[in-house]
Every structure is written in C-alpha cells, then in structure tokens.
Amino acid sequence: MTERLLTIAPFAQLGRFAAVAGLLLVCWDYLSPIYLATHIPLANHLLAWEHLPFAFQLHENHLLLACRQPNGSLHRFLFTGHDIPSLTIAVAIALFVATPGYGIRWRLGWLAGAITLFSLLNGLILYAGALLTIRDYLANLPADHLRQLLPAGAEFSVDNPPALDRLIGLWSIWGSPALLLALWFFAARDRYLPRILPSAPTIRSAPP
C-alpha cells in the first residue's frame, strides 16, 4: 500500500500543479496588471534617475511607455514582451501550492519571498527593455528635437549594446524559470534532497 501511494504521489502533485497553473493562466489577464504594479515603480524610478522624460503607465491592461514631448504632449508606445517573465509568478504560485507536506505558513512565506524577488528582477528587466525602446526612438529623431527632448547636460547614448538585448531574451526564456526552480528546490530541500542523494548505508561492526 505504501509503495502504491509513493507511486501515485508525483502524479497527484503534477495534477494539482496543472490545475492551479491552468486556473491562474485563465485569470492572468485580470491578475497581470496587479502584478505589474509591483515592479513598474522601480523601472520608473530608474528612468527618472537617468533624467529621461519617459515613464511606464498602465492603461486598460496594456503597458505603455509614455514620453513627455517638449510641447507638453505625451507620446505613448505599446510595450510588449513583459508578459513572458511575469508568468513566472503564476508558475511560482502553482508550484508552491502544489508541493505536498508543507503547511500554509511555509507556502505563504516562500510565495511572499518569490514575489518580492521576481518583482525586483522583473523591474530591472523592464527598465532594460525600456532603454532599448528609448534608444531606438531617440536614434530616429532629428538632432534639434533630440536636444529639446533631453534635459540640458544629459548624457544618453542612442546606441543599443547587443548584450542587453540578449540578456533580456535569456532572462525571459531561461533565467526566470531556472531561478524559480532553484528557489523552489531550496525551499523544499528537506523533502526532495534525501530522495536524490540517499544517505550512505550504515555498516555495523560484527559482535566480538
């Protein structure tokens, strides 16, 4: 009976994970703006620190990058690609909820840590993506318009470093999921590590 339960347990965990993840993905159009609101302030703060007249805005579930023009008007760009790393949070919730053998305190504690960590990292990636968009936009502006748009004395290169684009792509596809799995495995190490690294057999000495 015990062996049968051990055989079924991984499939039960996978089923719980799929059910929670599926429910979150269905509702993600409504949950995504709430999560985006946690790391947009960091990206906007970094843009303001660069003295750039750009800021992120949320409008009807769409992420916009707004540029304040010299005449006071706003030029808005639809910002895309941010939803892929954001989905890591949906996977994180499903992963920690589906992990058996732990109480609600463990789940909430590690979920709070995961959301905080990925909000900070995704805020940095959002800022890096904004720099790519801004540089592409500024590179196509006439020199006189560029001087009016940027504050006096501002130093901002319009050349995009290729490494930055690759870094964003690697984070979205590999980095974010890999970090989540490492975090989850560390959190549940006392449950899964002994199965991967079984303890060495104990050798008893023969009686004299």
Side-chain angles (χ1 to χ4, degrees):
M1 183 66 178
T2 303
E3 293 181 357
R4 183 179 179 184
L5 289 175
L6 289 175
T7 304
I8 296 175
F11 294 100
Q13 181 178 352
L14 182 62
R16 288 194 299 270
F17 170 79
V20 176
L23 179 61
L24 288 171
L25 291 178
V26 169
C27 304
W28 195 245
D29 284 343
Y30 305 99
L31 298 176
S32 179
I34 300 174
Y35 174 63
L36 278 173
T38 65
H39 55 271
I40 283 179
L42 174 59
N44 283 342
H45 180 76
L46 293 173
L47 290 173
W49 181 69
E50 292 269 8
H51 302 291
L52 295 172
F54 293 82
F56 283 105
Q57 298 177 351
L58 275 174
H59 180 67
E60 296 181 353
N61 295 347
H62 297 295
L63 183 60
L64 306 176
L65 183 60
C67 173
R68 177 72 62 180
Q69 300 294 317
N71 60 5
S73 63
L74 284 177
H75 189 165
R76 293 183 175 91
F77 307 88
L78 180 63
F79 201 80
T80 59
H82 62 278
D83 50 338
I84 298 176
S86 295
L87 286 174
T88 305
I89 291 301
V91 177
I93 295 173
L95 197 57
F96 283 104
V97 168
T99 304
Y102 293 98
I104 188 68
R105 192 172 179 180
W106 178 90
R107 302 175 199 278
L108 292 178
W110 281 103
L111 272 177
I115 291 173
T116 302
L117 175 63
F118 282 97
S119 292
L120 290 173
L121 293 174
N122 286 335
L124 293 174
I125 292 297
L126 200 62
Y127 163 69
L131 291 183
L132 293 178
T133 302
I134 292 170
R135 286 184 173 121
D136 287 340
Y137 172 68
L138 296 181
N140 295 314
L141 291 180
D144 56 342
H145 191 116
L146 184 60
R147 285 192 297 269
Q148 295 176 16
L149 186 62
L150 294 179
E155 296 182 1
F156 186 78
S157 173
V158 296
D159 295 326
N160 271 325
L164 185 60
D165 194 11
R166 289 196 294 267
L167 176 63
I168 295 174
L170 286 174
W171 168 255
S172 301
I173 299 173
W174 299 106
S176 183
L179 181 59
L180 172 59
L181 286 177
L183 181 67
W184 170 79
F185 186 76
F186 178 79
R189 62 192 181 281
D190 57 336
R191 180 178 181 85
Y192 294 101
L193 194 58
R195 299 182 185 181
I196 299 174
L197 301 173
S199 58
T202 303
I203 300 176
R204 296 182 180 179
S205 59

